[in-house]
PDB file of all heavy atoms in Angstrom:
ATOM      1  N   GLU U  60      76.452 -15.245 -28.160  1.00  0.00           N
ATOM      2  CA  GLU U  60      75.727 -15.943 -27.095  1.00  0.00           C
ATOM      3  C   GLU U  60      75.457 -15.016 -25.919  1.00  0.00           C
ATOM      4  O   GLU U  60      74.358 -14.997 -25.344  1.00  0.00           O
ATOM      5  CB  GLU U  60      76.537 -17.157 -26.635  1.00  0.00           C
ATOM      6  CG  GLU U  60      75.833 -17.999 -25.585  1.00  0.00           C
ATOM      7  CD  GLU U  60      76.595 -19.267 -25.234  1.00  0.00           C
ATOM      8  OE1 GLU U  60      77.458 -19.682 -26.037  1.00  0.00           O
ATOM      9  OE2 GLU U  60      76.334 -19.838 -24.166  1.00  0.00           O
ATOM     10  N   LEU U  61      76.458 -14.218 -25.591  1.00  0.00           N
ATOM     11  CA  LEU U  61      76.313 -13.275 -24.482  1.00  0.00           C
ATOM     12  C   LEU U  61      75.244 -12.233 -24.799  1.00  0.00           C
ATOM     13  O   LEU U  61      74.412 -11.885 -23.940  1.00  0.00           O
ATOM     14  CB  LEU U  61      77.657 -12.595 -24.225  1.00  0.00           C
ATOM     15  CG  LEU U  61      77.954 -12.113 -22.797  1.00  0.00           C
ATOM     16  CD1 LEU U  61      77.734 -13.224 -21.789  1.00  0.00           C
ATOM     17  CD2 LEU U  61      79.380 -11.601 -22.718  1.00  0.00           C
ATOM     18  N   ASN U  62      75.247 -11.740 -26.024  1.00  0.00           N
ATOM     19  CA  ASN U  62      74.228 -10.767 -26.432  1.00  0.00           C
ATOM     20  C   ASN U  62      72.830 -11.359 -26.353  1.00  0.00           C
ATOM     21  O   ASN U  62      71.872 -10.682 -25.962  1.00  0.00           O
ATOM     22  CB  ASN U  62      74.499 -10.292 -27.867  1.00  0.00           C
ATOM     23  CG  ASN U  62      75.604  -9.259 -27.940  1.00  0.00           C
ATOM     24  OD1 ASN U  62      75.769  -8.462 -27.020  1.00  0.00           O
ATOM     25  ND2 ASN U  62      76.368  -9.269 -29.009  1.00  0.00           N
ATOM     26  N   HIS U  63      72.695 -12.633 -26.701  1.00  0.00           N
ATOM     27  CA  HIS U  63      71.391 -13.292 -26.628  1.00  0.00           C
ATOM     28  C   HIS U  63      70.924 -13.438 -25.175  1.00  0.00           C
ATOM     29  O   HIS U  63      69.742 -13.254 -24.872  1.00  0.00           O
ATOM     30  CB  HIS U  63      71.454 -14.664 -27.300  1.00  0.00           C
ATOM     31  CG  HIS U  63      71.474 -14.576 -28.784  1.00  0.00           C
ATOM     32  ND1 HIS U  63      71.740 -15.663 -29.603  1.00  0.00           N
ATOM     33  CD2 HIS U  63      71.259 -13.540 -29.633  1.00  0.00           C
ATOM     34  CE1 HIS U  63      71.681 -15.291 -30.868  1.00  0.00           C
ATOM     35  NE2 HIS U  63      71.402 -14.014 -30.907  1.00  0.00           N
ATOM     36  N   TYR U  64      71.862 -13.786 -24.281  1.00  0.00           N
ATOM     37  CA  TYR U  64      71.518 -13.884 -22.864  1.00  0.00           C
ATOM     38  C   TYR U  64      71.000 -12.532 -22.342  1.00  0.00           C
ATOM     39  O   TYR U  64      69.959 -12.447 -21.686  1.00  0.00           O
ATOM     40  CB  TYR U  64      72.735 -14.302 -22.036  1.00  0.00           C
ATOM     41  CG  TYR U  64      72.844 -15.785 -21.792  1.00  0.00           C
ATOM     42  CD1 TYR U  64      73.966 -16.499 -22.214  1.00  0.00           C
ATOM     43  CD2 TYR U  64      71.846 -16.492 -21.119  1.00  0.00           C
ATOM     44  CE1 TYR U  64      74.087 -17.864 -21.995  1.00  0.00           C
ATOM     45  CE2 TYR U  64      71.956 -17.853 -20.885  1.00  0.00           C
ATOM     46  CZ  TYR U  64      73.078 -18.535 -21.323  1.00  0.00           C
ATOM     47  OH  TYR U  64      73.192 -19.877 -21.108  1.00  0.00           O
ATOM     48  N   ILE U  65      71.752 -11.502 -22.651  1.00  0.00           N
ATOM     49  CA  ILE U  65      71.388 -10.165 -22.172  1.00  0.00           C
ATOM     50  C   ILE U  65      70.036  -9.736 -22.730  1.00  0.00           C
ATOM     51  O   ILE U  65      69.160  -9.255 -21.997  1.00  0.00           O
ATOM     52  CB  ILE U  65      72.482  -9.146 -22.558  1.00  0.00           C
ATOM     53  CG1 ILE U  65      73.768  -9.439 -21.782  1.00  0.00           C
ATOM     54  CG2 ILE U  65      72.014  -7.718 -22.298  1.00  0.00           C
ATOM     55  CD1 ILE U  65      74.971  -8.634 -22.237  1.00  0.00           C
ATOM     56  N   LYS U  66      69.862  -9.928 -24.032  1.00  0.00           N
ATOM     57  CA  LYS U  66      68.597  -9.535 -24.674  1.00  0.00           C
ATOM     58  C   LYS U  66      67.426 -10.331 -24.122  1.00  0.00           C
ATOM     59  O   LYS U  66      66.339  -9.786 -23.887  1.00  0.00           O
ATOM     60  CB  LYS U  66      68.708  -9.731 -26.188  1.00  0.00           C
ATOM     61  CG  LYS U  66      67.507  -9.195 -26.956  1.00  0.00           C
ATOM     62  CD  LYS U  66      67.712  -9.330 -28.467  1.00  0.00           C
ATOM     63  CE  LYS U  66      66.500  -8.785 -29.222  1.00  0.00           C
ATOM     64  NZ  LYS U  66      66.684  -8.923 -30.700  1.00  0.00           N
ATOM     65  N   ALA U  67      67.626 -11.635 -23.881  1.00  0.00           N
ATOM     66  CA  ALA U  67      66.557 -12.489 -23.366  1.00  0.00           C
ATOM     67  C   ALA U  67      66.094 -12.028 -21.990  1.00  0.00           C
ATOM     68  O   ALA U  67      64.889 -11.940 -21.719  1.00  0.00           O
ATOM     69  CB  ALA U  67      67.032 -13.944 -23.302  1.00  0.00           C
ATOM     70  N   PHE U  68      67.039 -11.722 -21.127  1.00  0.00           N
ATOM     71  CA  PHE U  68      66.677 -11.282 -19.782  1.00  0.00           C
ATOM     72  C   PHE U  68      66.045  -9.892 -19.796  1.00  0.00           C
ATOM     73  O   PHE U  68      65.085  -9.631 -19.068  1.00  0.00           O
ATOM     74  CB  PHE U  68      67.909 -11.300 -18.864  1.00  0.00           C
ATOM     75  CG  PHE U  68      68.176 -12.654 -18.259  1.00  0.00           C
ATOM     76  CD1 PHE U  68      69.265 -13.415 -18.668  1.00  0.00           C
ATOM     77  CD2 PHE U  68      67.345 -13.170 -17.287  1.00  0.00           C
ATOM     78  CE1 PHE U  68      69.510 -14.665 -18.120  1.00  0.00           C
ATOM     79  CE2 PHE U  68      67.583 -14.419 -16.722  1.00  0.00           C
ATOM     80  CZ  PHE U  68      68.664 -15.163 -17.143  1.00  0.00           C
ATOM     81  N   GLU U  69      66.568  -9.001 -20.634  1.00  0.00           N
ATOM     82  CA  GLU U  69      65.990  -7.655 -20.709  1.00  0.00           C
ATOM     83  C   GLU U  69      64.561  -7.696 -21.237  1.00  0.00           C
ATOM     84  O   GLU U  69      63.680  -6.999 -20.724  1.00  0.00           O
ATOM     85  CB  GLU U  69      66.870  -6.763 -21.587  1.00  0.00           C
ATOM     86  CG  GLU U  69      68.186  -6.380 -20.924  1.00  0.00           C
ATOM     87  CD  GLU U  69      69.074  -5.539 -21.815  1.00  0.00           C
ATOM     88  OE1 GLU U  69      68.900  -5.560 -23.053  1.00  0.00           O
ATOM     89  OE2 GLU U  69      69.985  -4.865 -21.279  1.00  0.00           O
ATOM     90  N   GLU U  70      64.328  -8.520 -22.270  1.00  0.00           N
ATOM     91  CA  GLU U  70      62.976  -8.638 -22.820  1.00  0.00           C
ATOM     92  C   GLU U  70      62.025  -9.266 -21.803  1.00  0.00           C
ATOM     93  O   GLU U  70      60.851  -8.872 -21.711  1.00  0.00           O
ATOM     94  CB  GLU U  70      63.001  -9.489 -24.094  1.00  0.00           C
ATOM     95  CG  GLU U  70      63.604  -8.760 -25.293  1.00  0.00           C
ATOM     96  CD  GLU U  70      63.504  -9.581 -26.566  1.00  0.00           C
ATOM     97  OE1 GLU U  70      62.967 -10.710 -26.512  1.00  0.00           O
ATOM     98  OE2 GLU U  70      63.957  -9.083 -27.623  1.00  0.00           O
ATOM     99  N   THR U  71      62.524 -10.229 -21.023  1.00  0.00           N
ATOM    100  CA  THR U  71      61.692 -10.874 -20.000  1.00  0.00           C
ATOM    101  C   THR U  71      61.257  -9.867 -18.936  1.00  0.00           C
ATOM    102  O   THR U  71      60.085  -9.801 -18.560  1.00  0.00           O
ATOM    103  CB  THR U  71      62.462 -12.035 -19.342  1.00  0.00           C
ATOM    104  OG1 THR U  71      62.767 -13.014 -20.332  1.00  0.00           O
ATOM    105  CG2 THR U  71      61.622 -12.680 -18.248  1.00  0.00           C
TER     106      THR U  71
END
Side-chain angles (χ1 to χ4, degrees):
E60 183 175 341
L61 208 52
N62 282 327
H63 285 170
Y64 266 121
I65 292 171
K66 187 176 180 181
F68 275 109
E69 288 178 339
E70 286 185 0
T71 298

